[in-house]
Each structure stands twice: as structure tokens, then as C-alpha cells.
Amino acid sequence: MFWSLLKNTNPKIEYYSRFSPSPLSIKQFLDFGRDNACEKTSYMFLRKELPVRLANTMREVNLLPEKLLNQPSVRLVHKWYMQSFVELLDYENRKPEDPHVLNDFLELLIEIRNRHNDVVPTMAQGVIEYKEKFGFDPFVSNSIQYFLDRFYTNRISFRMLINQHTLLFGNDTNPAHPKHIGSIDPSCSVAEVVNDAYDTAKMLCEKYYLAAPELKIEEFNMKGPKKPIQAVYVPSHLFHMLFELFKNSMRATVELHEDSKDGLPPVKAKVTLGKEDLSVKISDRGGGVPLRKIDRLFNYMYSTAPTPSLEPGAVPLAGFGYGLPISRLYARYFQGDLKLYSMEGVGTDAVIYLKALSSESFERLPVFNKSAWRHYKTPPEADDWSNPSKEPRDASKSKYKANR
């Protein structure tokens, strides 16, 4: 039944993948939700935009190595995406004037969101299954890295659209945050989110190590000196990034200094607001990471952690080593970034860069086109920089001897 459905759906996936996704800015999300939130308008936009975003990512899934596609966990994720795509197609021609349509659509979005809850750990499980069977191949690793960055970004954007619609027009409005417009806080106190993320990470750290470093926080507001820094942002995204950085900093600090007579050095947070950037720097004295390993911290294939439980209620991403790469995707999603600067032997500075203006915070979305296709199909070229060999070359044995 499912595979016959797949056959009939493939032309639709191809059709919708010809459209590029329409990136929205935080300001556009905000203006729509605040001034003229119309459920019919949102419905008309989402019934096309959601299939477009799904189709773009599903075309890329099919370019992955067949051995990876055949892993049970990857097949499961593919099935979820197919099911959601097919269900959204039901609304292709349904008019919003029908009183049942808007409510049915809202319920479907909640169902789809729940279905996709475990996409990240399930896909990670698929990569582990592949690695255990076939080992590590640099070309395949590059393709998987490229794909997962795009696939998970697509998922962040998909959930953002669904959350805005369900929070604005459904019954799951958060009474604790009445001023939020959907999932966006128009006056998000950055220091408050920093403190929340620190407190949550501290609780985990104390549970495992029975100790945790203190937090020292500073703010530098170039636009309004001495005023607390506020942003128009999605607090849950910022929390996700900061929580990950605090966890890493605390673990490194405790493991390096647990026997020190001087106690644990504090973790420092510095929040700054300039004309273009809002930046948050988390600094620790946890011993740092060698330069050679920095890129690996963002690589999905390098995760060496033991396979975590996929049981409901398990801490999300625990053990997959996906915390940093996914946090970087959250930062990049609205045109920001996340960078690590480490000094081995001392500690690490992690900096989250966000756009200061909500009108410049546009979604950064993957588009399926020829350039994307080439990433999967073009074999790697020979390296055009020298590689250090293990043994120094003996110049006296070279066939190119200098004329004396």
C-alpha cells in the first residue's frame, strides 16, 4: 500500500521541488502575527509552502548513498516525510471558506509536528547503523555532512512555520508568555535566556559531577549604554544554543579542575549589541580543544559517543554528539552563526552571532537545484595542497638531483 502511494506521489514531489522555498524574516513573522493574523491567509500560504519545503528536502534524500538509504532508521524517516507530504496534498484544492477545513488543517499540522518529533535522533541512528556496517569513507562523509546540515535546517524551518500557525490560531498558546507572537518574543531579554540556560545546564552538571562552575555575566549595549539588551527572537532557539554551550563548558571545567585547591573557575557570558550584530560569548577555562579537532566537533560522522536510548523521555540528542552542529544550524537559520575559538591548555570561547535587526533576520533555507545535485554526484578531486608525510623525505635519493 505504502509503496503504491509512493509511486503516485513521486510526480508531485518533482512538481513541488521545482519551486524554491519562500524565506521569511522574523519581522514578517512578527508583523503578520501582530497586526493582521488571518487564519485563511496563513492556510493559503502553508498549504503550498510546506509541500515545497518537504519536496525540496525529499529530492535530496534520494541522492544519498543507497547503502545509507537502506538503513532501517533512514527508511523510517523517509516514510514519515512521505506520509506528511501525502496528507498535506489533501488540502491542495480545499477552499478555506469550508468551515471544517481550517480546523482540520490545524489538527493535521499538530499531528505532523508530533510525527516528526524524533527525526533528529532517528536519522542519527541511521548514520550509526551505516557506519557500523560500512565504516568511514571521506567522500560519503562529506555528502552526509552536507545533506544533514540542509535536512536539519529544513526541519527547523518546517517546525517554525507549523508552530507559528498552531500558536496563533490553535489552543496551545502559552499563558506564561502572553506577549509572544507565536514562538517569537518581541522583547526577548537575552540575559534572562542566558541565565535560564545556565540554570538548566547547572542542574544537569550537579547531578552528574556534584559540582558546577558559577556564572559571571556582562552586557555591553552600544545602542543604549547601561540598558539591558533585548532582541526580537525565538527564545527557544537561543536557549537551545546556550544550553549546549554551557553543558560543554561546565563538563570541561569540572573535569579539568575537580581536584584543584582553588575550586572551579567561573564560566563567563558576555552579551553585546552593536549596529549589525547581537553577540553572546561563552568563555570557559576548561583546557580547550586542539585546532585539529575543532571541525570534528561539528561533524555528524565523527560522533564517537555510545548509542543513546531512543526511548520516549530520553534527553534529546544525548549521546549523539549532535548538540553543536544543530546549535550552529539554529544560529545560521536566521542569518547568524556559531563559532568556536579554542586555546589548547587554557579554554574555549564560543560565540553566537545573531542579526541585531529583525528585518535582516531572514530564514536561510536549502534549495534543491543543480548546484545541490553536484555536491552528491561529483567525486572529490585530488588535494591541491601538500600533505605532510609521516617520515621526512630523503632528498639525496631524489631522482631530481641538483646540478653541481
Side-chain angles (χ1 to χ4, degrees):
M1 165 70 181
F2 175 71
W3 297 111
S4 65
L5 196 67
L6 182 63
K7 246 181 203 172
N8 301 332
T9 311
N10 274 340
K12 282 289 187 187
I13 293 174
E14 199 175 321
Y15 168 74
Y16 275 98
S17 71
R18 288 179 203 155
F19 297 95
S20 287
S22 307
L24 299 171
S25 69
I26 290 182
K27 187 176 188 303
Q28 285 173 311
F29 277 117
L30 199 66
D31 290 347
F32 174 78
R34 183 187 268 160
D35 303 328
N36 53 352
C38 168
E39 192 171 357
K40 285 181 184 177
T41 309
S42 184
Y43 165 75
M44 295 297 283
F45 173 69
L46 292 183
R47 75 173 184 179
K48 181 176 180 191
E49 184 64 18
L50 290 175
V52 165
R53 293 193 187 191
L54 277 182
N56 269 266
T57 208
M58 287 161 81
R59 288 293 299 274
E60 284 196 42
V61 170
N62 292 328
L63 295 176
L64 288 171
E66 205 164 316
K67 288 172 180 172
L68 177 61
L69 280 176
N70 286 332
Q71 298 313 307
S73 299
V74 179
R75 286 170 72 94
L76 180 59
V77 170
H78 193 240
K79 189 178 173 183
W80 290 338
Y81 272 68
M82 283 302 303
Q83 194 175 339
S84 299
F85 184 77
V86 169
E87 287 171 355
L88 285 165
L89 289 185
D90 272 353
Y91 290 85
E92 216 174 8
N93 301 309
R94 289 176 70 179
K95 298 278 187 288
E97 286 74 28
D98 179 334
H100 299 296
V101 166
L102 295 181
N103 196 50
D104 292 351
F105 187 69
L106 184 84
E107 285 179 10
L108 172 65
L109 293 188
I110 293 167
E111 211 174 288
I112 287 174
R113 184 179 61 201
N114 293 342
R115 177 183 302 135
H116 290 233
N117 272 345
D118 289 330
V119 160
V120 175
T122 309
M123 200 68 180
Q125 182 64 42
V127 172
I128 290 168
E129 289 163 0
Y130 171 82
K131 221 168 42 165
E132 283 174 352
K133 283 182 194 167
F134 304 105
F136 181 86
D137 173 295
F139 176 54
V140 171
S141 173
N142 284 342
S143 290
I144 291 173
Q145 184 70 23
Y146 177 79
F147 167 76
L148 287 178
D149 269 349
R150 294 162 67 81
F151 179 75
Y152 290 145
T153 300
N154 186 289
R155 178 180 180 272
I156 291 168
S157 82
F158 196 72
R159 289 180 87 79
M160 180 74 194
L161 292 182
I162 288 178
N163 286 340
Q164 284 306 103
H165 187 88
T166 57
L167 286 164
L168 288 172
F169 307 114
N171 297 318
D172 55 353
T173 314
N174 189 343
H177 302 289
K179 290 184 180 173
H180 283 198
I181 308 295
S183 56
I184 298 167
D185 185 348
S187 47
C188 172
S189 163
V190 179
E192 218 172 274
V193 182
V194 170
N195 278 308
D196 283 351
Y198 166 78
D199 288 340
T200 313
K202 183 186 179 188
M203 210 162 56
L204 264 186
C205 189
E206 287 176 338
K207 182 179 169 186
Y208 288 105
Y209 296 105
L210 306 177
E214 289 304 309
L215 171 68
K216 284 191 176 175
I217 185 166
E218 287 181 282
E219 287 189 85
F220 294 89
N221 189 341
M222 187 184 123
K223 289 185 173 178
K226 296 186 181 174
K227 281 188 179 176
I229 293 172
Q230 294 190 326
V232 184
Y233 205 68
V234 185
S236 59
H237 290 190
L238 184 55
F239 179 90
H240 185 110
M241 296 179 251
L242 288 164
F243 175 59
E244 183 59 32
L245 296 181
F246 277 130
K247 271 194 308 183
N248 294 343
S249 287
M250 287 180 182
R251 185 173 63 238
T253 302
V254 173
E255 288 183 357
L256 186 68
H257 295 277
E258 57 188 340
D259 298 325
S260 164
K261 291 174 190 169
D262 303 324
L264 301 175
V267 170
K268 294 178 181 177
K270 192 174 278 186
V271 183
T272 67
L273 178 63
K275 285 181 184 173
E276 287 190 30
D277 295 343
L278 190 163
S279 315
V280 185
K281 180 168 78 170
I282 307 297
S283 307
D284 67 58
R285 297 288 302 275
V289 180
L291 178 65
R292 177 178 61 87
K293 290 185 178 175
I294 288 284
D295 284 348
R296 290 185 193 178
L297 298 177
F298 291 99
N299 192 308
Y300 302 102
M301 288 289 277
Y302 266 111
S303 176
T304 53
T307 307
S309 156
L310 279 179
E311 293 302 309
V315 178
L317 308 187
F320 281 111
Y322 277 26
L324 274 175
I326 299 245
S327 294
R328 184 168 68 177
L329 297 182
Y330 272 110
R332 289 178 172 178
Y333 172 50
F334 280 122
Q335 304 295 332
D337 210 345
L338 188 159
K339 293 189 180 285
L340 293 187
Y341 305 97
S342 198
M343 294 179 75
E344 191 184 13
V346 182
T348 302
D349 288 354
V351 186
I352 297 168
Y353 297 99
L354 307 175
K355 289 286 181 191
L357 300 175
S358 61
S359 55
E360 291 180 2
S361 305
F362 273 90
E363 293 180 289
R364 180 174 173 266
L365 303 171
V367 178
F368 177 77
N369 55 22
K370 277 185 181 171
S371 298
W373 183 88
R374 275 197 291 269
H375 269 274
Y376 299 97
K377 297 299 178 188
T378 312
E381 294 179 7
D383 197 355
D384 52 1
W385 290 90
S386 60
N387 276 322
S389 57
K390 286 177 185 171
E391 297 293 328
R393 267 174 69 192
D394 183 349
S396 65
K397 292 181 183 171
S398 169
K399 58 180 178 179
Y400 303 107
K401 288 192 177 171
N403 295 323
R404 297 191 184 278

